[in-house]
Amino acid sequence: MLLPRPIQILVSALERLPGVGPKSASRLAFYLLRAPDEVSEELSQALSGLKGKIAFCEECFNFTEAGQSRCEICEDDQRDGGVLCVVEEALDVVALERVGAYTGKYHVLHGVLSPIEGIGPGDIRVKPLVERVAKGGIREVILATNPSMEGDATALYLQQQLRPLGVQITRLARGLPVGGDLEYADQNTILRALTGRSEMS
Ligand SMILES: [Zn+2]
């Protein structure tokens, strides 16, 4: 079936999104055509200039609204600034926050070490983490990188970097499926991994 060009353009744009195949892309496009105008207008407004409206938190590198130097979590004085949870991606913060059991702060690496892909310590936010811990006031660093080969290697590297600074370094418990992402784990699994965390030897 040959679709009018504007629909074709929308379908192929949707198809490029992760987890959206050609079938769901067409389904979404036709849904938008049938839905009230506000639905597609809201969507288009949310997408328009999205990247320009977002910045990185200067402290933890989580996403924040452009114009704000610190994210909401860093700004929150109720949270324990003595505990830092180090995650691979900002999405992992969302996953951990959804569980609601963690009251410390975060550090987002924006990647993991991967020699195969040529990603070294200089390519992810390792240096700002070490500097942040070196400044003092932090008792525990929870290494919450994913239980994958790269995630484990990154945790080990971070442990070596942080050990001389005299903080307690813990790793999430092995409740998470090996090779699985924090992002896809259910809330109970994350909670178990968090509460069962143990000191890295
Ligand atoms: Zn922050």
Side-chain angles (χ1 to χ4, degrees), residues 31-99:
Y31 167 79
L32 289 168
L33 276 173
R34 278 193 313 267
D37 288 352
E38 302 94 80
V39 176
S40 44
E41 271 157 26
E42 267 178 42
L43 184 64
S44 121
Q45 264 177 29
L47 289 172
S48 167
L50 174 66
K51 287 196 171 177
K53 294 175 194 159
I54 298 299
F56 289 125
C57 170
E58 285 171 9
E59 198 158 337
C60 74
F61 298 97
N62 191 5
F63 288 123
T64 185
E65 226 172 292
Q68 281 174 345
S69 54
R70 279 152 52 100
C71 72
E72 255 178 63
I73 295 172
C74 287
E75 281 290 335
D76 189 349
D77 294 333
Q78 302 288 89
R79 299 187 72 120
D80 184 357
V83 185
L84 271 193
C85 184
V86 180
V87 294
E88 292 180 19
E89 304 292 345
L91 252 178
D92 299 328
V93 176
V94 179
L96 279 155
E97 284 302 290
R98 210 179 290 134
V99 179

Side-chain angles (χ1 to χ4, degrees), residues 1 4 7-8 14 48 57-59 62 64 74 81 88-89 91 100 106 108 117-118 120 127 145 166 185 192 195 199:
M1 181 179 62
I7 304 181
Q8 278 181 38
L14 290 168
S48 167
C57 170
E58 285 171 9
E59 198 158 337
N62 191 5
T64 185
C74 287
E88 292 180 19
E89 304 292 345
L91 252 178
Y106 291 96
V108 184
E117 289 175 55
K127 201 169 160 239
T145 48
R192 254 184 287 128
T195 49
E199 183 131 19

